[in-house]
Amino acid sequence: MACCFCRWRAVLICVCTPFISLVLLFAYATVMLCMTMNNTESTWNPTYGPEPVHFVAPGTLSIKDYAPLPKTFWELLQHGDTIWNRLQLTIDRHFNPILRPNNIKRGSENGTFYESLLQQAISEVTNLEIMRENFDQLPQQIQDFVSHMHRRNYPTLIQPDRECGAGAKDEREAPLLLLAIKSIEQNFEKRQVIRKTWGQTGWVERQRQNVKGGGEGGGNVRRVFLLAKGRNENVGVNLSESLQMESERYGDILQWDFMDTFFNLTLKDVLFWSWFSHSCNRTLFVFKGDDDVFVNTPRLMTYLRDQLKKPQANETMKDFMIGDVLVGAPNRDIKSKYFVPESFYKGLYPMYVGGGGVVYSSVLTKRLYHMSKRVHMFPIDDVYVGMCMIRLNIPLIHHPAFLTLDFPNKEEEQLCSYHTILLVHKRSPTQVVKLWADMKMTQEQCWDVPLRGEVKKKI
Ligand SMILES: *[C@@H]1O[C@H](CO)[C@@H](O)[C@H](O)[C@H]1NC(C)=O
Ligand SMILES: *[C@@H]1O[C@H](CO)[C@@H](O)[C@H](O)[C@H]1NC(C)=O
Ligand SMILES: *[C@@H]1O[C@H](CO)[C@@H](O)[C@H](O)[C@H]1NC(C)=O
Ligand SMILES: *[C@@H]1O[C@H](CO)[C@@H](O)[C@H](O)[C@H]1NC(C)=O
Ligand SMILES: *[C@@H]1O[C@H](CO)[C@@H](O)[C@H](O)[C@H]1NC(C)=O
């Protein structure tokens, strides 16, 4: 009996000891890993400087109903010869909390540090033989992009006074919303129509809640147009001069000294975030969009006010971004304006909000600005914002009232259709003027229609 027990004990020891050791080791590793990850989630405030990164390997975040994201982090070799993936890998690795925990703790480096990091990655990668071969085969436009993608410090040519855009006069309280509208020099008519319609600054009344009570609440709106330099060789007038005059008259022009091309639009995001972080310390929300959209500003005010009233508002503001959420992949049709060759970027795009019109909080704007220092420029601006968002680990909120592709079927013809949306693309200046007038006329009949995708509230 004793002998039998002895034999079993030996077996038990042989089998169990390694097993127990493994369990202990596993538990230790898990605890350490969790602690490392949690450390990065310190209470961060935008004024402290760059946020400690919460590293998210692309591919780990999957959200119901959408295709899984590309696993670029795990498939290094497969993407090793792709310019953008390769460049970003260097940076993502630098901030990987598991591989380089100390870099996360240091977190608050100055701007020079990030510039040199991006620059270093670019020179490391572009010196590789395979990259040079790739580069020569890229289309001219992408080559041009790659040669300039390290540069962000373009000087400002025209800017509003430091007061965060036009509309500061007679403000009753901190501005609720800044409208930041991408435009180009020659689109004077579009800007003028926006100023007179949905882009009016000053106090904007919220959507009337009922006829008797009138609109309670509302908020102050500021406005700024984001421009770069056009080529404008054969226009006859000196557009720089007229833009200067426009700025003196309206105070809503922000222009930088780079060429206004489609692939340079990402610069407008990054430079706008920088300007906003330095000049708009009181504004609560940002609308960023094109100059050929129609925005239902009064309704947007109502929507934003409601967000602020929610119990967890302070928490949600950190991550707040709404719009038309898209899932996509690079366009491989060489004739398309969105064409991005495989030798430049491989994999799907992260989810992103369509750049025609998107609304985000000022807290998030500052987080995006800091994160953008760690993400290489990408030629498609809204995709770039998505790339920053995924690195901030923020899930996007789709709102069906943002119609970046117009109304489905014939819904537009219904009386109250425009009261159910926050934004629609695309509308000419003439259409915008008419729509704005129509909206005012149908206000009484349509005051209680719910936004698209929302259910009617019982009163
Ligand atoms: C910013 O960081 C760089 C490199 O880390 C350092 O050389 C430089 O002195 C710093 N500048 C300031 C103003 O702190
Ligand atoms: C337009 O006017 C600006 C400032 O007055 C001047 O510097 C620029 O050379 C002019 N451009 C052209 C194309 O005449
Ligand atoms: C972006 O702007 C810079 C500066 O004006 C210019 O040199 C570059 O060619 C532009 N890039 C693209 C892709 O148009
Ligand atoms: C916001 O900026 C203005 C002007 O730049 C400054 O006077 C004010 O003190 C700032 N407010 C806060 C809360 O930082
Ligand atoms: C939200 O933040 C504001 C300003 O930072 C503060 O005054 C307010 O008390 C906070 N609200 C909650 C519910 O934490």
Side-chain angles (χ1 to χ4, degrees):
M1 183 68 196
C3 183
C4 183
F5 179 71
C6 283
R7 210 171 51 225
W8 275 112
R9 197 173 60 175
V11 172
L12 272 176
I13 288 172
C14 279
V15 175
C16 294
T17 311
F19 180 70
I20 290 171
S21 310
L22 272 178
V23 168
L24 285 175
L25 188 68
F26 178 74
Y28 173 77
T30 314
V31 169
M32 288 313 285
L33 200 63
C34 289
M35 279 168 65
T36 317
M37 299 259 200
N38 279 343
N39 275 347
T40 66
E41 286 243 61
S42 57
T43 46
W44 172 85
N45 175 321
T47 53
Y48 296 167
E51 178 176 17
V53 186
H54 181 103
F55 181 84
V56 183
T60 57
L61 186 71
S62 66
I63 293 176
K64 213 169 114 275
D65 299 338
Y66 290 100
L69 295 158
K71 296 183 171 56
T72 42
F73 178 67
W74 309 110
E75 295 172 17
L76 309 184
L77 298 174
Q78 194 193 321
H79 295 163
D81 55 349
T82 313
I83 295 177
W84 194 90
N85 303 58
R86 181 69 183 249
L87 282 172
Q88 192 54 34
L89 186 69
T90 319
I91 308 282
D92 282 346
R93 266 204 193 136
H94 184 88
F95 290 104
N96 184 321
I98 301 164
L99 300 177
R100 311 261 177 88
N102 292 334
N103 289 350
I104 305 298
K105 290 194 192 108
R106 279 214 315 265
S108 56
E109 253 97 8
N110 62 40
T112 328
F113 168 79
Y114 289 100
E115 259 165 50
S116 65
L117 192 67
L118 291 179
Q119 186 62 62
Q120 193 191 331
I122 290 177
S123 46
E124 265 172 31
V125 170
T126 47
N127 280 337
L128 297 172
E129 186 67 31
I130 179 150
M131 290 298 160
R132 276 209 296 270
E133 275 167 30
N134 265 347
F135 181 81
D136 293 337
Q137 281 155 25
L138 292 172
Q140 188 54 44
Q141 198 192 8
I142 294 264
Q143 279 195 14
D144 194 22
F145 176 83
V146 174
S147 336
H148 294 95
M149 68 188 284
H150 62 280
R151 184 159 177 217
R152 297 177 183 199
N153 58 344
Y154 292 98
T156 312
L157 294 174
I158 302 178
Q159 61 177 326
D161 46 11
R162 276 183 57 80
E163 283 262 28
C164 195
K169 237 175 88 194
D170 302 330
E171 263 178 359
R172 292 189 225 169
E173 57 180 51
L176 182 63
L177 179 66
L178 168 69
L179 302 167
I181 304 147
K182 293 179 271 183
S183 189
I184 52 174
E185 282 176 344
Q186 60 264 42
N187 285 358
F188 173 74
E189 191 196 355
K190 287 186 180 156
R191 289 195 290 279
Q192 201 59 3
V193 162
I194 290 171
R195 286 180 183 119
K196 299 217 165 103
T197 57
W198 60 263
Q200 284 169 21
T201 58
W203 186 261
V204 173
E205 221 32 272
R206 66 185 282 164
Q207 171 98 355
R208 293 164 73 102
Q209 292 296 294
N210 57 56
V211 180
K212 261 193 226 125
E216 87 277 14
N220 283 309
V221 174
R222 301 280 189 97
R223 180 187 62 230
V224 68
F225 290 101
L226 313 174
L227 294 97
K229 263 181 21 174
R231 223 164 307 179
N232 310 320
E233 279 127 3
N234 311 314
V235 255
V237 276
N238 187 332
L239 283 177
S240 318
E241 259 174 16
S242 40
L243 195 70
Q244 186 67 48
M245 272 152 55
E246 203 179 322
S247 167
E248 279 156 25
R249 174 116 166 66
Y250 299 103
D252 56 3
I253 303 287
L254 179 53
Q255 187 191 28
W256 296 281
D257 192 7
F258 61 84
M259 223 153 59
D260 217 333
T261 59
F262 180 65
F263 274 11
N264 263 348
L265 278 181
T266 310
L267 277 171
K268 286 193 186 174
D269 278 279
V270 172
L271 294 173
F272 166 69
W273 293 337
S274 163
W275 174 81
F276 183 90
S277 304
H278 295 114
S279 340
C280 303
N281 52 9
R282 292 172 346 124
T283 308
L284 291 174
F285 293 97
V286 171
F287 163 86
K288 185 163 172 295
D290 290 333
D291 62 1
D292 58 353
V293 298
F294 177 79
V295 182
N296 183 354
T297 325
R299 196 66 193 245
L300 183 58
M301 303 306 266
T302 313
Y303 182 83
L304 296 178
R305 278 266 174 243
D306 290 348
Q307 302 311 304
L308 289 174
K309 277 194 221 132
K310 289 187 174 165
Q312 297 289 309
N314 279 8
E315 248 334 278
T316 42
M317 279 312 115
K318 264 176 64 198
D319 296 351
F320 184 84
M321 176 181 278
I322 55 162
D324 185 13
V325 175
L326 307 170
V327 241
N331 189 312
R332 304 294 194 209
D333 172 9
I334 194 153
K335 285 187 252 77
S336 161
K337 102 173 171 176
Y338 300 98
F339 173 68
V340 169
E342 206 163 10
S343 51
F344 181 76
Y345 182 85
K346 236 183 231 177
L348 297 175
Y349 287 149
M351 280 199 297
Y352 62 97
V353 178
V358 47
V359 176
Y360 40 83
S361 69
S362 64
V363 190
L364 180 57
T365 313
K366 287 166 196 167
R367 298 179 72 193
L368 282 168
Y369 171 54
H370 292 307
M371 182 50 76
S372 73
K373 297 172 187 169
R374 293 198 279 262
V375 185
H376 282 283
M377 299 299 270
F378 193 80
I380 317 281
D381 62 342
D382 41 12
V383 173
Y384 179 79
V385 180
M387 288 167 164
C388 293
M389 290 293 278
I390 200 174
R391 284 171 177 81
L392 287 165
N393 195 22
I394 303 177
L396 299 171
I397 312 168
H398 176 74
H399 201 303
F402 283 78
L403 299 181
T404 43
L405 289 176
D406 218 324
F407 285 92
N409 304 322
K410 296 199 167 172
E411 277 179 42
E412 184 181 358
E413 289 159 18
Q414 291 163 17
L415 178 69
C416 293
S417 55
Y418 280 87
H419 291 268
T420 68
I421 57 145
L422 291 173
L423 172 136
V424 63
H425 180 262
K426 115 191 221 175
R427 294 293 179 267
S428 70
T430 325
Q431 286 170 319
V432 169
V433 172
K434 182 168 183 310
L435 281 174
W436 189 248
D438 288 351
M439 297 278 286
K440 289 262 177 293
M441 277 186 14
T442 51
Q443 209 175 11
E444 302 269 305
Q445 290 129 291
C446 302
W447 69 271
D448 68 339
V449 293
L451 282 178
R452 292 176 72 84
E454 287 181 0
V455 268
K456 191 164 172 167
K457 283 183 207 123
K458 291 263 176 355
I459 304 170

